[in-house]
Amino acid sequence: MSLPPLFLLLLFLLLGAGGLRAAEPGAAAAAAGGGGSSSAMEELATEQEAEESHRQDSVSLLTFILLLTLTILTIWLFKHRRVRFLHETGLAMIYGLIVGVILRYGTPSTSGHDKPFSCSQEDRPFTTLLVNVSGKFFEYTLKGEISPGKIHNVEQNDMLRKVTFDPEVFFNILLPPIIFHAGYSLKKRHFFRNLGSILAYAFLGTAVSCFIIGNLMYGVVKLMKLVGQLSGKFYYTDCLLFGAIISATDPVTVLAIFNELHADVDLYALLFGESVLNDAVAIVLSSSIVAYQPTGENTHAFDAAAFFKSVGVFLGIFSGSFMMGAVTGVVTALVTKFTKLHCFPLLETALFFLMSWSTFLLAEACGFTGVVAVLFCGITQAHYTYNNLSVESRSRTKQLFEVLHFLAENFIFSYMGLALFTFQKHIFSPVFIIGAFVAIFLGRAAHIYPLSFLLNLGRRHKISWNFQHMMMFSGLRGAMAFALAIRDTATYSHQMMFSTTLLIVFFTVWIVGGGTTPMLSWLNIRVGDRVPSVEEMSESRWLYFRVGVDPDQDPPPTNDSFQVLQGDGPDSERRNRTKQESAWLFRLWYSFDHNYLKPILTHSGPPLTTTLPSWCGLIARCLTSPQVYDNQEQLREEDSDFILNDGDLTVTYGDTTITANGSSGPHTATTSLDGRRTKSNSEEALERDLGAADHEVTSRGTRLVFPLEDNA
Amino acid sequence: MSLPPLFLLLLFLLLGAGGLRAAEPGAAAAAAGGGGSSSAMEELATEQEAEESHRQDSVSLLTFILLLTLTILTIWLFKHRRVRFLHETGLAMIYGLIVGVILRYGTPSTSGHDKPFSCSQEDRPFTTLLVNVSGKFFEYTLKGEISPGKIHNVEQNDMLRKVTFDPEVFFNILLPPIIFHAGYSLKKRHFFRNLGSILAYAFLGTAVSCFIIGNLMYGVVKLMKLVGQLSGKFYYTDCLLFGAIISATDPVTVLAIFNELHADVDLYALLFGESVLNDAVAIVLSSSIVAYQPTGENTHAFDAAAFFKSVGVFLGIFSGSFMMGAVTGVVTALVTKFTKLHCFPLLETALFFLMSWSTFLLAEACGFTGVVAVLFCGITQAHYTYNNLSVESRSRTKQLFEVLHFLAENFIFSYMGLALFTFQKHIFSPVFIIGAFVAIFLGRAAHIYPLSFLLNLGRRHKISWNFQHMMMFSGLRGAMAFALAIRDTATYSHQMMFSTTLLIVFFTVWIVGGGTTPMLSWLNIRVGDRVPSVEEMSESRWLYFRVGVDPDQDPPPTNDSFQVLQGDGPDSERRNRTKQESAWLFRLWYSFDHNYLKPILTHSGPPLTTTLPSWCGLIARCLTSPQVYDNQEQLREEDSDFILNDGDLTVTYGDTTITANGSSGPHTATTSLDGRRTKSNSEEALERDLGAADHEVTSRGTRLVFPLEDNA
């Protein structure tokens, strides 16, 4: 049995779902109309109508589920046949488009689908219901009896409405798992190595892009007003909002394609890190622009006070959300560390899930941005909590969020396809659309190239031109831009922005997503532009991948032959490079994290008894788990993030008296040969983690640790 | 760090979540009130109000999440300390109760929380919103400005309302994962061995219980009317509906406790199977009772036509839902068999999840019962699809549904606790409540004892008195009864039924759930009442369990020494027993399943080329996957359900020419010694699967297969 029959079956079901609905309401309406006037009959009729409405909801949801099923099967087919000209998200959009066309045009055309929903305000009992939907109270007014001739009109109208979801669904249900997964699966090694550049691209870049796009679009709007193409109000703040919405690049497609092609890891880290943080910045930026509300008469002119208020809002929301996410992550880490929950993986997974979700709700409840909080919660969970989980829970949580992420993402993309035809208030303005395309191109160019130039001044291994071109090209817009745009479609300007955003997402996902592979080879990125032996490297990554080892954990030895490395000895050279790359702030944080946070929050790192001053001995002994002494050896293998050669640390604290439990064992004793407590143990670890994972494993136990001269 | 601080922290957060809410709305109201009359300001105010409402939703959801987190931590503590007097679901209810009390009485008392929600009907723009929630259109009327003095009253009122979920949430979101998981994790071996009894208990038993409870309650209602305790209408159909609602016993608690204690597997199968099917029967029964609508004047008297219509509805809905579930399961099995989806476990898991969910929606869309369809879908998925999944997907799907089930279940139970205080239309009638307790006791007694008596007439190994007492005792009411009762709380009678159901659930979960362990030991069930060496057996089950082997797959050898087995030879005796136990209908189905369905839908079972008549050769060759020939050996180990000694089957079809691919290999050749095609291969397999798994493994390859004389 080949695939086509299955596809036909699914398509048939999809169409059938639409057809089914048309047949039912007549009966319900007749039942409602034919009943007597007794209250019991009316109750029954109301019940039937409610049931009918429930059935229609099921059908519309079923449509999406079948759409997703179809998408999954096609994705499999594409992966199976190694088709790369179209990414799976692009596919989901195409299916969505097809179903949207069917829903819109496949049934008799509708009259008046643009008029607002008019509810009957008669005082019949049971026609006006109070419905409590997830805590909100809504007045649910049932429409009166529908005359048989009108059913099709009304129903068609209804169907389009039914497949239109509340925008908040995207923000509160679909985005959180996607963003959490992004944070949870962030490749920490390369991410931290390029942290400075990533932060620069994400914060400065997004702000630059937002303002450039906003100003360009304001010019376009002015032009449209001159030409007479604008039939509604379009303020400067709207233009800036559009800039914020459209500046959020999507990590999804880049991630998928780069992962599949095993492209350069640094480029991957830059792009992925930028687009993940990008999203957070764009959300908060758009919130601050909405909050920008000048006082006085002219409410849409520039007002310095309001501007600084907006900047304050931006900083407040961002840092608040960041804190919220970090705090929940830390609490989860503490709970999983100090309870023996890991004996019950189900409980552990459930707790992990709930705590991560509560970050979102907590942030929303405090007026911060849940999605941003969830991102940082994901990063914290991956950094600390993950180490405390049982082996089963690790795979469980990863898989759980992977599935949620996959489903949510494909749902959003197929919904986008659907929305092009089913959304009822589209305003397509050719001038605005062309202007927007030009603006996003210029906006991206205006932050990638200058920023790269500035960053290259400070970077030891430069971001090459080809990388810059690739970053320029990879500015895909996806789920986040869509969710931000659909959030408010009440006014003329917002509707136009939404329609334009939709088109930009389509274009970038199809063209850019499909063109990534040719572009990579055209720019010679895969054949060793900067990194000489990428071919070999991706081969070895592939091998690592196949044997189940995260390529991020153990970079291949070829990394060593970086073209910039031409010093006297590899060791000192590496040290210098590491120094120059990581800013002092980052080094400070790293040392704090390594010496205090890791030991407090997880079972790894050096015991607090060695890192804290001696007068904190009691607290240190309380907070250090016995496993730190026991499992030092074991954890070296398990610890997934960038503390790689943790075992070496036994050298540095081997001389201090370990009193908590005596089981530091013979292994520690044999390796603590040098017997000196060095002050720079965290710097050593940082250095090893960031650049020097290419030591031969055999040299591990015998290498002596020299304190660094420079303690900055 | 010990647990109590964590608990305090969580409790603090819980209370804080309530307090936080009180602080916020004032600002928002002030902002709304202080604005000018420009449309922009009004828009802003509306936006802020919407944001405020969203924030409150977050808080109420957060309350539940923190409640669940607290529950999980306490469960861990209980498991850790081996506390058994209170089951985790009982615990969830207690926490729910506490929070409910806090919400209800912890804040200033509310005036008029019983009056209906009055919405302001001014024609201000943006105060009346049309909100589309998951496809339904609701008119969302924002309340006007709230004067600062009234905020507390209104808010308190709101909070209680906000923690009250739409009843449909239970049916459409929380129950499906619970029921699916029950079906998916059904212990097939013992389930099928006791299928007849289980079906009898579930169908006949539930019907008997429903009618007895209904009639008893009608008597109670009559009595209440005489005494003057009844202040509303209470019809006979309402009483029957109550009977249906309260007849659904809960599989959850029984499952958990029996699993932990490793009690007798047959008793476990009886109880679990009964309560799972019970739920399905109760749902459909209550739907049919609601559908019972006599024509004519007296709408609540008995009407034969309407009665038979109801019976028809029952049969129609039940068989329709059954079919729906089975069909989706079969489609999923076919898709997973004929695509190579197992190379991509993520896609496979997502597909599995979506297809299982679509069963629910499909059934709802067609007017059947989604929950029932999901149950049978789960059974089908476990029986067929599970075998086609990759090893990773098997654990993924199991874990995914386990987590969903766990969260949904604990949510429902803590919501129950909460509802006792936050539900605003409780009607507690002592007479009705006492009557209900007596009625459920009598109702359960009236079906367990007579049915067991009748079943024992036909059963070879009887259901002993102690087992009957235990089944009588284990009639817990849980999530399903609650969900059925909360579904419709519009009328006086339904409200009284809901309040009573809530109390019954509390009582049974706390008392019966906590009393299971003492009851089991008091009834001597664990120390070998029927099965002589249960002690030993549960020991060995425990061992199997610890080493990761499903105890269901390989029953311990002690099973052999059943007291009823005192024949001449164990082999013939076993055969007889198997025969007598499994009805001819079941045998027929089994043989059909083994010879046709399994080979068509999975990679296991005998190749269709051997089981189908020769004129279907082409179809048979198309449908039989090459793996059947290849993996026969391998699958023997992997196949998780009751086909245990599949490898033996090579003996019975070893002589037929296998043309599809020649790799039947040397193993087949060596075992096909007898060279005769026996007609009774499925009977052999059935027999082996049902009772005779206690063969020594060493005898497998050499045992000759004798065709049975009796082919009935």
Side-chain angles (χ1 to χ4, degrees), chain A residues 54 57 136-137 161 364, chain B residues 54 57 136-137 161 364:
Chain A
H54 171 68
D57 288 342
K136 283 181 199 167
F137 260 77
R161 225 182 260 127
E364 291 284 317
Chain B
H54 170 68
D57 288 343
K136 283 182 197 166
F137 260 76
R161 226 183 258 126
E364 290 285 317

Side-chain angles (χ1 to χ4, degrees), chain A residues 53-54 56-61 64 133-134 138 161-167 169 173, chain B residues 131-138 166 169 172-173:
Chain A
S53 160
H54 171 68
Q56 287 171 17
D57 288 342
S58 301
V59 171
S60 62
L61 210 52
F64 282 106
V133 181
S134 64
F138 298 103
R161 225 182 260 127
K162 276 198 182 298
V163 293
T164 307
F165 282 80
D166 182 8
V169 168
I173 296 173
Chain B
V131 181
N132 186 338
V133 181
S134 64
K136 283 182 197 166
F137 260 76
F138 297 103
D166 181 9
V169 168
N172 300 333
I173 296 173

Side-chain angles (χ1 to χ4, degrees), chain B residues 333-460:
Chain B
L334 282 175
V335 170
T336 47
K337 183 182 176 187
F338 288 106
T339 63
K340 277 179 192 119
L341 214 55
H342 52 82
C343 305
F344 306 97
L346 176 63
L347 294 183
E348 212 178 6
T349 311
L351 185 89
F352 188 89
F353 178 78
L354 287 176
M355 292 297 279
S356 304
W357 191 17
S358 72
T359 299
F360 177 82
L361 294 170
L362 205 62
E364 290 285 317
C366 297
F368 299 123
T369 309
V371 176
V372 177
V374 152
L375 170 65
F376 291 109
C377 177
I379 296 175
T380 318
Q381 302 281 41
H383 197 60
Y384 302 114
T385 314
Y386 187 80
N387 297 314
N388 299 337
L389 297 179
S390 63
V391 178
E392 203 186 329
S393 286
R394 287 183 194 186
S395 77
R396 271 189 186 218
T397 51
K398 268 193 173 176
Q399 290 173 358
L400 178 68
F401 284 105
E402 203 181 341
V403 171
L404 289 179
H405 151 90
F406 178 81
L407 290 176
E409 185 186 292
N410 278 291
F411 181 86
I412 289 193
F413 277 93
S414 48
Y415 186 81
M416 276 191 235
L418 201 72
L420 189 62
F421 286 97
T422 56
F423 184 72
Q424 309 205 8
K425 292 178 283 184
H426 273 305
I427 298 174
F428 291 107
S429 158
V431 181
F432 192 82
I433 292 165
I434 294 167
F437 271 99
V438 174
I440 62 162
F441 184 81
L442 292 178
R444 188 141 183 99
H447 90 256
I448 292 290
Y449 295 116
L451 261 181
S452 302
F453 176 75
L454 289 175
L455 287 170
N456 275 343
L457 293 181
R459 277 176 77 102
R460 183 85 179 203

Side-chain angles (χ1 to χ4, degrees), chain A residues 539-659:
Chain A
E539 197 52 46
S540 60
R541 289 191 81 220
W542 181 241
L543 276 172
Y544 285 123
F545 194 70
R546 296 303 294 271
V547 295
V549 178
D550 193 342
D552 231 36
Q553 260 175 281
D554 234 317
T558 50
N559 230 4
D560 222 338
S561 52
F562 246 64
Q563 61 193 29
V564 288
L565 281 182
Q566 284 155 354
D568 35 14
D571 234 51
S572 67
E573 185 60 43
R574 200 178 298 115
R575 200 167 293 152
N576 286 340
R577 178 161 60 88
T578 310
K579 282 257 172 77
Q580 221 146 341
E581 268 174 45
S582 11
W584 62 272
L585 188 70
F586 174 58
R587 289 181 79 81
L588 203 70
W589 175 76
Y590 182 86
S591 117
F592 179 68
D593 175 60
H594 182 76
N595 286 338
Y596 305 106
L597 289 181
K598 279 238 160 189
I600 292 174
L601 299 174
T602 71
H603 298 302
S604 64
L608 280 170
T609 38
T610 60
T611 55
L612 278 179
S614 52
W615 53 267
C616 310
L618 190 69
I619 304 168
R621 232 164 289 138
C622 278
L623 287 173
T624 306
S625 63
Q627 281 101 315
V628 169
Y629 311 107
D630 288 14
N631 301 350
Q632 204 74 29
E633 280 310 297
Q634 191 190 326
L635 277 167
R636 197 192 333 174
E637 264 75 52
E638 283 178 19
D639 197 359
S640 78
D641 60 14
F642 61 79
I643 297 194
L644 276 166
N645 307 352
D646 239 0
D648 282 355
L649 288 173
T650 42
V651 176
T652 58
Y653 62 84
D655 56 332
T656 65
T657 2
I658 294 168
T659 50

Side-chain angles (χ1 to χ4, degrees), chain A residues 94-114:
Chain A
I94 291 176
Y95 279 126
L97 271 180
I98 294 170
V99 174
V101 169
I102 292 168
L103 287 180
R104 182 69 177 264
Y105 302 108
T107 35
S109 82
T110 68
S111 63
H113 59 257
D114 285 318

Side-chain angles (χ1 to χ4, degrees), chain B residues 482-546:
Chain B
F482 173 78
L484 283 172
I486 206 176
R487 205 169 196 185
D488 182 6
T489 53
T491 62
Y492 172 82
S493 57
H494 285 101
Q495 284 160 16
M496 191 187 276
M497 276 152 54
F498 174 65
S499 306
T500 311
T501 305
L502 210 51
L503 287 183
I504 290 173
V505 171
F506 283 176
F507 180 81
T508 53
V509 168
W510 284 333
I511 306 298
V512 177
T516 304
T517 321
M519 197 68 175
L520 277 174
S521 61
W522 190 61
L523 289 173
N524 288 328
I525 286 177
R526 288 191 70 205
V527 287
D529 170 46
R530 257 183 69 243
V531 185
S533 51
V534 167
E535 209 57 63
E536 199 184 334
M537 189 173 130
S538 60
E539 197 53 44
S540 60
R541 287 190 82 219
W542 181 240
L543 276 173
Y544 284 124
F545 195 69
R546 294 305 293 271

